[in-house]
Amino acid sequence: MSGETRSVRTGMQSALSLLFPPQCIQCGEPVLSDFGLCGACWRETPFISGLVCDKCGVPLPGEDDGRREHCDDCLTIARPWDRGRAAMVYRDNACKLVLALKHGDRLDLSRPAADWLTRAGRSIISPDMLVAPVPLHWARLFRRRFNQAALLSRALARLAGLDHCPDLLVRSRNTHSQDDRTRDARFANLSGAIRAHPRRAAKIRGRDVLVIDDVMTSGATLAAAADSCRAAGAASVSVLVLARVAKDA
């Protein structure tokens, strides 16, 4: 890009900022930069930091001394993935942001969410990873018009400079809602529902795969996705979610 072109673009961006000043992505209050949260909304958003479970990303008590720790659930439930992280605890403003992305057509939220995901996953992301979203069944995708996990995975892959395959996995069975199901029922509902796309399976073989979803509750959906990647020959599977349901949240 030439200096003149850069100057023109900078001038246009400045003019647009004057006409359309940056606003908080949650409440609309003025902020310093685009796609940011104001101070009040930031304080109400439970971002995860410090010591976390190395499998699911839930916050843990104590100091982070570099050792890999696991929560009670991940000590008792066999997780078919290697490592996992979450950007937020699913409560307060995190709930509002996730639901706005998922059901409120706030597709613009995928851009700041990619920043939060990248920051949360910095310790598990490697340069040669293949990024893929948890898939939706075609019938649900038709009704919703987009897969929020795919929006997140695409934005994260672009930001982190990673390979992205939005249809690496497919949901071959239209599973019923997981709401109000017990943990065991959630896992049974997802059993055999996700598999590697027959035309994309070769991409998985020998690769480190990073599976993206919006929310982790029991981990049943992510387990089904990870099992599919393992069956297709992935070298490792990690998971990264925007929000993690926590028992004490």
Side-chain angles (χ1 to χ4, degrees), residues 37 41-49 59 86-97 242-244 249:
L37 290 165
C41 289
W42 181 273
R43 288 188 294 273
E44 293 175 4
T45 306
F47 289 105
I48 295 174
S49 61
M88 302 179 285
V89 175
Y90 189 64
R91 59 175 170 80
D92 303 332
N93 203 41
C95 293
K96 297 176 183 177
L97 290 167
L242 186 58
R244 172 72 166 101

mmCIF file of all heavy atoms in Angstrom, residues 37 41-49 59 86-97 242-244 249:
data_model
loop_
_atom_site.group_PDB
_atom_site.id
_atom_site.type_symbol
_atom_site.label_atom_id
_atom_site.label_comp_id
_atom_site.label_asym_id
_atom_site.label_seq_id
_atom_site.Cartn_x
_atom_site.Cartn_y
_atom_site.Cartn_z
ATOM 1 N N LEU A 37 -16.313 -2.773 24.780
ATOM 2 C CA LEU A 37 -17.295 -2.643 25.847
ATOM 3 C C LEU A 37 -16.983 -1.396 26.667
ATOM 4 O O LEU A 37 -15.814 -1.068 26.881
ATOM 5 C CB LEU A 37 -17.252 -3.867 26.765
ATOM 6 C CG LEU A 37 -17.758 -5.197 26.197
ATOM 7 C CD1 LEU A 37 -17.307 -6.346 27.093
ATOM 8 C CD2 LEU A 37 -19.276 -5.196 26.052
ATOM 9 N N CYS A 41 -20.151 -2.186 31.289
ATOM 10 C CA CYS A 41 -20.443 -3.491 30.703
ATOM 11 C C CYS A 41 -19.255 -4.444 30.853
ATOM 12 O O CYS A 41 -19.437 -5.656 31.028
ATOM 13 C CB CYS A 41 -20.825 -3.344 29.231
ATOM 14 S SG CYS A 41 -22.459 -2.590 28.965
ATOM 15 N N TRP A 42 -18.051 -3.895 30.787
ATOM 16 C CA TRP A 42 -16.860 -4.727 30.987
ATOM 17 C C TRP A 42 -16.866 -5.328 32.396
ATOM 18 O O TRP A 42 -16.579 -6.515 32.572
ATOM 19 C CB TRP A 42 -15.597 -3.905 30.752
ATOM 20 C CG TRP A 42 -14.323 -4.703 30.904
ATOM 21 C CD1 TRP A 42 -13.623 -4.942 32.045
ATOM 22 C CD2 TRP A 42 -13.629 -5.387 29.858
ATOM 23 N NE1 TRP A 42 -12.531 -5.727 31.778
ATOM 24 C CE2 TRP A 42 -12.509 -6.012 30.460
ATOM 25 C CE3 TRP A 42 -13.838 -5.521 28.487
ATOM 26 C CZ2 TRP A 42 -11.594 -6.764 29.714
ATOM 27 C CZ3 TRP A 42 -12.932 -6.276 27.745
ATOM 28 C CH2 TRP A 42 -11.834 -6.880 28.355
ATOM 29 N N ARG A 43 -17.217 -4.502 33.387
ATOM 30 C CA ARG A 43 -17.237 -4.999 34.768
ATOM 31 C C ARG A 43 -18.314 -6.060 34.984
ATOM 32 O O ARG A 43 -18.185 -6.912 35.871
ATOM 33 C CB ARG A 43 -17.443 -3.834 35.741
ATOM 34 C CG ARG A 43 -16.224 -2.921 35.867
ATOM 35 C CD ARG A 43 -16.406 -1.910 36.985
ATOM 36 N NE ARG A 43 -17.470 -0.951 36.712
ATOM 37 C CZ ARG A 43 -17.284 0.183 36.043
ATOM 38 N NH1 ARG A 43 -16.077 0.501 35.586
ATOM 39 N NH2 ARG A 43 -18.306 1.014 35.839
ATOM 40 N N GLU A 44 -19.378 -6.023 34.178
ATOM 41 C CA GLU A 44 -20.461 -6.993 34.308
ATOM 42 C C GLU A 44 -20.247 -8.223 33.438
ATOM 43 O O GLU A 44 -21.093 -9.115 33.396
ATOM 44 C CB GLU A 44 -21.789 -6.331 33.927
ATOM 45 C CG GLU A 44 -22.233 -5.245 34.907
ATOM 46 C CD GLU A 44 -23.494 -4.531 34.438
ATOM 47 O OE1 GLU A 44 -24.050 -4.945 33.403
ATOM 48 O OE2 GLU A 44 -23.918 -3.581 35.107
ATOM 49 N N THR A 45 -19.105 -8.272 32.748
ATOM 50 C CA THR A 45 -18.800 -9.414 31.885
ATOM 51 C C THR A 45 -17.755 -10.281 32.568
ATOM 52 O O THR A 45 -16.614 -9.838 32.759
ATOM 53 C CB THR A 45 -18.290 -8.941 30.511
ATOM 54 O OG1 THR A 45 -19.229 -8.027 29.934
ATOM 55 C CG2 THR A 45 -18.103 -10.123 29.568
ATOM 56 N N PRO A 46 -18.095 -11.501 32.970
ATOM 57 C CA PRO A 46 -17.183 -12.334 33.760
ATOM 58 C C PRO A 46 -16.121 -13.037 32.908
ATOM 59 O O PRO A 46 -16.173 -14.255 32.684
ATOM 60 C CB PRO A 46 -18.132 -13.334 34.421
ATOM 61 C CG PRO A 46 -19.259 -13.467 33.458
ATOM 62 C CD PRO A 46 -19.425 -12.114 32.821
ATOM 63 N N PHE A 47 -15.152 -12.261 32.451
ATOM 64 C CA PHE A 47 -14.041 -12.858 31.717
ATOM 65 C C PHE A 47 -13.241 -13.761 32.651
ATOM 66 O O PHE A 47 -13.081 -13.476 33.839
ATOM 67 C CB PHE A 47 -13.139 -11.769 31.132
ATOM 68 C CG PHE A 47 -13.755 -11.014 29.997
ATOM 69 C CD1 PHE A 47 -14.236 -9.722 30.183
ATOM 70 C CD2 PHE A 47 -13.875 -11.587 28.740
ATOM 71 C CE1 PHE A 47 -14.814 -9.016 29.142
ATOM 72 C CE2 PHE A 47 -14.452 -10.891 27.694
ATOM 73 C CZ PHE A 47 -14.924 -9.608 27.889
ATOM 74 N N ILE A 48 -12.728 -14.849 32.096
ATOM 75 C CA ILE A 48 -11.982 -15.821 32.885
ATOM 76 C C ILE A 48 -10.495 -15.513 32.816
ATOM 77 O O ILE A 48 -9.941 -15.293 31.742
ATOM 78 C CB ILE A 48 -12.254 -17.246 32.375
ATOM 79 C CG1 ILE A 48 -13.725 -17.613 32.589
ATOM 80 C CG2 ILE A 48 -11.348 -18.258 33.083
ATOM 81 C CD1 ILE A 48 -14.117 -18.952 31.990
ATOM 82 N N SER A 49 -9.855 -15.504 33.964
ATOM 83 C CA SER A 49 -8.405 -15.303 34.033
ATOM 84 C C SER A 49 -7.883 -16.093 35.230
ATOM 85 O O SER A 49 -8.654 -16.626 36.022
ATOM 86 C CB SER A 49 -8.064 -13.813 34.174
ATOM 87 O OG SER A 49 -8.623 -13.279 35.360
ATOM 88 N N PRO A 59 -12.951 -21.583 35.815
ATOM 89 C CA PRO A 59 -12.044 -21.003 36.816
ATOM 90 C C PRO A 59 -11.892 -21.925 38.028
ATOM 91 O O PRO A 59 -12.848 -22.573 38.458
ATOM 92 C CB PRO A 59 -12.734 -19.690 37.207
ATOM 93 C CG PRO A 59 -13.721 -19.414 36.137
ATOM 94 C CD PRO A 59 -14.142 -20.730 35.582
ATOM 95 N N ALA A 86 -12.056 -21.409 27.962
ATOM 96 C CA ALA A 86 -13.274 -20.618 27.771
ATOM 97 C C ALA A 86 -12.938 -19.160 28.033
ATOM 98 O O ALA A 86 -12.109 -18.851 28.894
ATOM 99 C CB ALA A 86 -14.375 -21.090 28.718
ATOM 100 N N ALA A 87 -13.587 -18.266 27.303
ATOM 101 C CA ALA A 87 -13.308 -16.838 27.459
ATOM 102 C C ALA A 87 -14.062 -16.229 28.636
ATOM 103 O O ALA A 87 -13.548 -15.327 29.304
ATOM 104 C CB ALA A 87 -13.660 -16.088 26.175
ATOM 105 N N MET A 88 -15.289 -16.716 28.906
ATOM 106 C CA MET A 88 -16.138 -16.115 29.932
ATOM 107 C C MET A 88 -16.889 -17.199 30.687
ATOM 108 O O MET A 88 -17.085 -18.303 30.179
ATOM 109 C CB MET A 88 -17.163 -15.162 29.293
ATOM 110 C CG MET A 88 -16.574 -14.035 28.469
ATOM 111 S SD MET A 88 -17.866 -12.985 27.718
ATOM 112 C CE MET A 88 -18.449 -14.054 26.400
ATOM 113 N N VAL A 89 -17.330 -16.858 31.886
ATOM 114 C CA VAL A 89 -18.300 -17.685 32.599
ATOM 115 C C VAL A 89 -19.688 -17.292 32.099
ATOM 116 O O VAL A 89 -19.990 -16.104 31.936
ATOM 117 C CB VAL A 89 -18.195 -17.479 34.123
ATOM 118 C CG1 VAL A 89 -19.288 -18.261 34.844
ATOM 119 C CG2 VAL A 89 -16.820 -17.893 34.634
ATOM 120 N N TYR A 90 -20.533 -18.277 31.875
ATOM 121 C CA TYR A 90 -21.841 -18.033 31.284
ATOM 122 C C TYR A 90 -22.821 -17.501 32.327
ATOM 123 O O TYR A 90 -23.638 -18.242 32.902
ATOM 124 C CB TYR A 90 -22.374 -19.310 30.647
ATOM 125 C CG TYR A 90 -23.621 -19.114 29.823
ATOM 126 C CD1 TYR A 90 -23.598 -18.334 28.673
ATOM 127 C CD2 TYR A 90 -24.818 -19.720 30.182
ATOM 128 C CE1 TYR A 90 -24.739 -18.145 27.903
ATOM 129 C CE2 TYR A 90 -25.965 -19.552 29.422
ATOM 130 C CZ TYR A 90 -25.914 -18.756 28.287
ATOM 131 O OH TYR A 90 -27.052 -18.570 27.526
ATOM 132 N N ARG A 91 -22.734 -16.221 32.597
ATOM 133 C CA ARG A 91 -23.665 -15.530 33.485
ATOM 134 C C ARG A 91 -23.585 -14.039 33.190
ATOM 135 O O ARG A 91 -22.710 -13.580 32.457
ATOM 136 C CB ARG A 91 -23.347 -15.811 34.957
ATOM 137 C CG ARG A 91 -21.954 -15.401 35.396
ATOM 138 C CD ARG A 91 -21.780 -15.600 36.896
ATOM 139 N NE ARG A 91 -20.414 -15.453 37.351
ATOM 140 C CZ ARG A 91 -19.798 -14.293 37.577
ATOM 141 N NH1 ARG A 91 -20.446 -13.162 37.376
ATOM 142 N NH2 ARG A 91 -18.541 -14.269 37.996
ATOM 143 N N ASP A 92 -24.512 -13.282 33.771
ATOM 144 C CA ASP A 92 -24.519 -11.821 33.661
ATOM 145 C C ASP A 92 -24.413 -11.377 32.202
ATOM 146 O O ASP A 92 -25.150 -11.859 31.351
ATOM 147 C CB ASP A 92 -23.386 -11.220 34.512
ATOM 148 C CG ASP A 92 -23.470 -11.619 35.978
ATOM 149 O OD1 ASP A 92 -24.597 -11.874 36.438
ATOM 150 O OD2 ASP A 92 -22.428 -11.691 36.648
ATOM 151 N N ASN A 93 -23.502 -10.479 31.924
ATOM 152 C CA ASN A 93 -23.402 -9.913 30.581
ATOM 153 C C ASN A 93 -22.939 -10.942 29.549
ATOM 154 O O ASN A 93 -23.236 -10.801 28.362
ATOM 155 C CB ASN A 93 -22.442 -8.720 30.583
ATOM 156 C CG ASN A 93 -22.702 -7.769 29.432
ATOM 157 O OD1 ASN A 93 -23.851 -7.481 29.107
ATOM 158 N ND2 ASN A 93 -21.641 -7.289 28.807
ATOM 159 N N ALA A 94 -22.226 -11.980 29.995
ATOM 160 C CA ALA A 94 -21.810 -13.031 29.061
ATOM 161 C C ALA A 94 -23.026 -13.724 28.456
ATOM 162 O O ALA A 94 -23.048 -14.016 27.251
ATOM 163 C CB ALA A 94 -20.921 -14.045 29.777
ATOM 164 N N CYS A 95 -24.051 -13.975 29.268
ATOM 165 C CA CYS A 95 -25.288 -14.570 28.750
ATOM 166 C C CYS A 95 -25.912 -13.682 27.688
ATOM 167 O O CYS A 95 -26.334 -14.149 26.627
ATOM 168 C CB CYS A 95 -26.291 -14.790 29.879
ATOM 169 S SG CYS A 95 -25.817 -16.032 31.084
ATOM 170 N N LYS A 96 -25.973 -12.400 27.970
ATOM 171 C CA LYS A 96 -26.591 -11.461 27.028
ATOM 172 C C LYS A 96 -25.851 -11.433 25.696
ATOM 173 O O LYS A 96 -26.457 -11.410 24.628
ATOM 174 C CB LYS A 96 -26.622 -10.057 27.642
ATOM 175 C CG LYS A 96 -27.466 -9.943 28.906
ATOM 176 C CD LYS A 96 -27.361 -8.543 29.502
ATOM 177 C CE LYS A 96 -28.131 -8.427 30.798
ATOM 178 N NZ LYS A 96 -27.971 -7.086 31.414
ATOM 179 N N LEU A 97 -24.516 -11.435 25.762
ATOM 180 C CA LEU A 97 -23.722 -11.381 24.541
ATOM 181 C C LEU A 97 -23.874 -12.662 23.720
ATOM 182 O O LEU A 97 -24.036 -12.619 22.496
ATOM 183 C CB LEU A 97 -22.257 -11.148 24.891
ATOM 184 C CG LEU A 97 -21.917 -9.760 25.432
ATOM 185 C CD1 LEU A 97 -20.518 -9.731 26.030
ATOM 186 C CD2 LEU A 97 -22.039 -8.692 24.341
ATOM 187 N N LEU A 242 -16.696 -19.706 23.802
ATOM 188 C CA LEU A 242 -16.874 -18.324 24.231
ATOM 189 C C LEU A 242 -17.264 -18.251 25.702
ATOM 190 O O LEU A 242 -16.799 -17.393 26.426
ATOM 191 C CB LEU A 242 -17.926 -17.642 23.351
ATOM 192 C CG LEU A 242 -18.152 -16.154 23.563
ATOM 193 C CD1 LEU A 242 -16.868 -15.365 23.361
ATOM 194 C CD2 LEU A 242 -19.232 -15.639 22.600
ATOM 195 N N ALA A 243 -18.117 -19.176 26.155
ATOM 196 C CA ALA A 243 -18.575 -19.142 27.542
ATOM 197 C C ALA A 243 -18.712 -20.553 28.093
ATOM 198 O O ALA A 243 -19.088 -21.482 27.379
ATOM 199 C CB ALA A 243 -19.904 -18.411 27.652
ATOM 200 N N ARG A 244 -18.422 -20.680 29.383
ATOM 201 C CA ARG A 244 -18.473 -21.971 30.074
ATOM 202 C C ARG A 244 -19.457 -21.867 31.234
ATOM 203 O O ARG A 244 -19.352 -20.957 32.074
ATOM 204 C CB ARG A 244 -17.082 -22.316 30.611
ATOM 205 C CG ARG A 244 -17.013 -23.547 31.531
ATOM 206 C CD ARG A 244 -17.202 -24.819 30.737
ATOM 207 N NE ARG A 244 -16.821 -25.998 31.507
ATOM 208 C CZ ARG A 244 -17.693 -26.811 32.125
ATOM 209 N NH1 ARG A 244 -18.993 -26.513 32.101
ATOM 210 N NH2 ARG A 244 -17.261 -27.891 32.761
ATOM 211 N N ALA A 249 -21.456 -20.305 39.360
ATOM 212 C CA ALA A 249 -21.629 -19.001 38.721
ATOM 213 C C ALA A 249 -22.910 -18.338 39.198
ATOM 214 O O ALA A 249 -23.874 -18.994 39.530
ATOM 215 C CB ALA A 249 -21.675 -19.173 37.202
#
